[in-house]
Amino acid sequence: MRTFTYPLALSLGVGCLTAADLASNVPGSREDDWFSWLVYAVSFAGLLAHRVRPGVSAAVTGAGCVAWTLHGHLGELLNLPAMVALYFVALGGDRRRTVRVAVFAALVAGAAAVISGQEAGRPVPSPVLEMAVPLVPLLLGEVVRGRRELARHALVEREREAERRVRAERMRIARELHDIVAHTVSAMTVHAGVALEALDRRPEVARTALRQVRESGREAVAELRATVRVLREADAAVPVDPAPGLDQLSELVERLSGGGLRVTLRRSGAGGALPPMVGLAAYRIVQEALTNVVKHSAARHAAVSVVDKEDGRLTVEVLDEGPSRPGAAGPPGFGLLGMRERAAAVGGTLDHGPHPAGGFRVRASLPTAERARVAEEVTP
């Protein structure tokens, strides 16, 4: 209803002003007659279509202005119907069409002024002024349309940025869940295998391994619940456990040791406080690398090395002695890709590949000072 009422009200307002000017019979202007009002009726009918058919409306109202000029009418408000129609032509079109309409309208208006001024005794309208009249609404419509396009573009960019942040957050959550589930299942598989082999001959060993399976399951459930709480109540102050870091590496190594695999941990360097994002990235990289050792390697020993260098970088290395586990080859997963993304998220690097002495090595270099803090600030 509002969409219909506004154009009608605008057309009625412009029509009243134009009719008043046409009937005023200013000095030097031709008196109104039946032809003048016939042109007015046609122009008003064309003006009613200024929203739905701006091009047709501009053509009809522009022809009415030319007819009034050639008929000898002078009036500042007689151009109003054409000016309104031209404004909506520019508002709903593009710059190329606006330029074409501007050139054509200016030439027609100037020619009508020149022809009208050739009649003896008739006041001469200024051709330059008449040529400028149609340019004003076209320019105004172009400015308004340009601002609207900028606003739409800014809205689209904001929506794209929001979608990008949502995708980044989903990827972060997916990495967390992958690390939690993959590591826990691998650790539980190792200890379950130990329990199965020792069940008859060494029940105490089997009992200890089963306890470790239970503890690993409880820890995984606790981490998953914390993640779900954050997702469900993102706007509330939800108490959650702090993210794991290098202080929890010994527990991680202990959980994965067993079933024929012995993991050693060596830490050296400054040992100062790390940015939380760096500590979490280092922990998850070690976790995923050890999980890959359990799943894909037949190694009996793996070494984890963490060196906090004085140049502001933390070096994390996981090395197993190999060889690959028979039948372990399968479709590639996202473990190595996830580790690389975690390192890149805090401004670090990661490389991996076979070690010259045998086995497989994963090595990450993570910044611990200014670059890490900047990366943490921009992480969505």
Side-chain angles (χ1 to χ4, degrees):
M1 182 66 180
R2 183 179 179 182
T3 304
F4 174 76
T5 304
Y6 173 74
L8 180 60
L10 178 61
S11 300
L12 289 175
V14 172
C16 290
L17 293 175
T18 305
D21 196 2
L22 184 62
S24 63
N25 296 322
V26 297
S29 175
R30 186 189 184 106
E31 294 187 359
D32 57 308
D33 53 15
W34 68 269
F35 180 77
S36 304
W37 290 105
L38 176 62
V39 173
Y40 171 82
V42 174
S43 297
F44 182 77
L47 180 63
L48 290 174
H50 68 270
R51 290 294 295 270
V52 293
R53 294 287 188 274
V56 175
S57 178
V60 174
T61 54
C65 287
V66 172
W68 279 327
T69 301
L70 296 178
H71 197 53
H73 285 288
L74 295 177
E76 297 178 354
L77 300 181
L78 296 181
N79 293 319
L80 274 181
M83 295 178 71
V84 171
L86 288 173
Y87 169 80
F88 283 96
V89 167
L91 188 65
D94 54 61
R95 184 168 301 176
R96 184 175 299 178
R97 188 177 77 169
T98 300
V99 171
R100 291 199 301 265
V101 172
V103 172
F104 179 77
L107 291 177
V108 171
V114 172
I115 294 173
S116 176
Q118 291 179 351
E119 185 175 341
R122 179 177 296 180
V124 183
S126 171
V128 176
L129 180 61
E130 292 297 319
M131 292 179 68
V133 167
L135 302 182
V136 174
L138 288 171
L139 180 60
L140 180 60
E142 187 68 22
V143 171
V144 174
R145 183 181 60 81
R147 290 186 176 180
R148 289 182 178 180
E149 288 182 353
L150 288 176
R152 283 195 296 268
H153 179 72
L155 178 61
V156 170
E157 289 299 319
R158 285 197 298 270
E159 291 177 350
R160 288 178 179 174
E161 178 63 17
E163 292 176 358
R164 186 195 67 79
R165 289 180 175 270
V166 168
R167 288 195 299 269
E169 183 65 13
R170 287 176 177 172
M171 289 298 299
R172 185 191 67 80
I173 295 171
R175 285 196 299 266
E176 292 292 333
L177 295 178
H178 171 271
D179 292 343
I180 294 170
V181 174
H183 162 72
T184 304
V185 170
S186 298
M188 293 171 69
T189 302
V190 170
H191 292 292
V194 172
L196 183 61
E197 293 179 1
L199 185 61
D200 296 328
R201 294 174 297 173
R202 302 172 65 188
E204 283 302 322
V205 175
R207 191 174 292 109
T208 301
L210 290 175
R211 288 197 191 99
Q212 188 62 53
V213 170
R214 182 180 61 185
E215 291 302 319
S216 297
R218 287 177 176 175
E219 291 178 7
V221 170
E223 289 196 59
L224 290 174
R225 284 178 177 171
T227 303
V228 172
R229 277 205 308 273
V230 172
L231 293 177
R232 287 180 175 176
E233 305 180 38
D235 297 330
V238 183
V240 296
D241 295 333
L246 295 184
D247 293 338
Q248 287 76 39
L249 279 183
S250 57
E251 300 174 8
L252 174 66
V253 168
E254 182 180 351
R255 284 200 301 268
L256 279 176
S257 295
L261 177 65
R262 185 170 60 92
V263 183
T264 59
L265 172 64
R266 183 176 63 89
R267 292 189 60 177
S268 62
L274 294 175
M277 290 293 293
V278 175
L280 175 61
Y283 179 89
R284 294 303 189 194
I285 289 172
V286 173
Q287 184 183 57
E288 181 62 32
L290 290 178
T291 301
N292 287 344
V293 172
V294 173
K295 293 168 60 177
H296 303 296
S297 176
R300 302 185 64 84
H301 177 259
V304 178
S305 173
V306 180
V307 181
D308 192 357
K309 298 182 178 179
E310 295 182 357
D311 61 355
R313 298 194 73 84
L314 180 73
T315 301
V316 179
E317 182 178 276
V318 178
L319 174 65
D320 69 87
E321 61 186 11
S324 299
R325 183 185 300 275
F334 297 97
L336 293 175
L337 178 61
M339 288 188 284
R340 188 182 298 277
E341 289 177 348
R342 284 193 178 276
V346 295
T349 59
L350 183 136
D351 58 86
H352 53 79
H355 192 266
F360 195 85
R361 180 179 68 177
V362 174
R363 185 177 183 275
S365 178
L366 310 176
T368 60
E370 185 63 28
R371 290 181 60 194
R373 287 195 293 271
V374 172
E376 185 173 351
E377 290 175 359
V378 302
T379 300

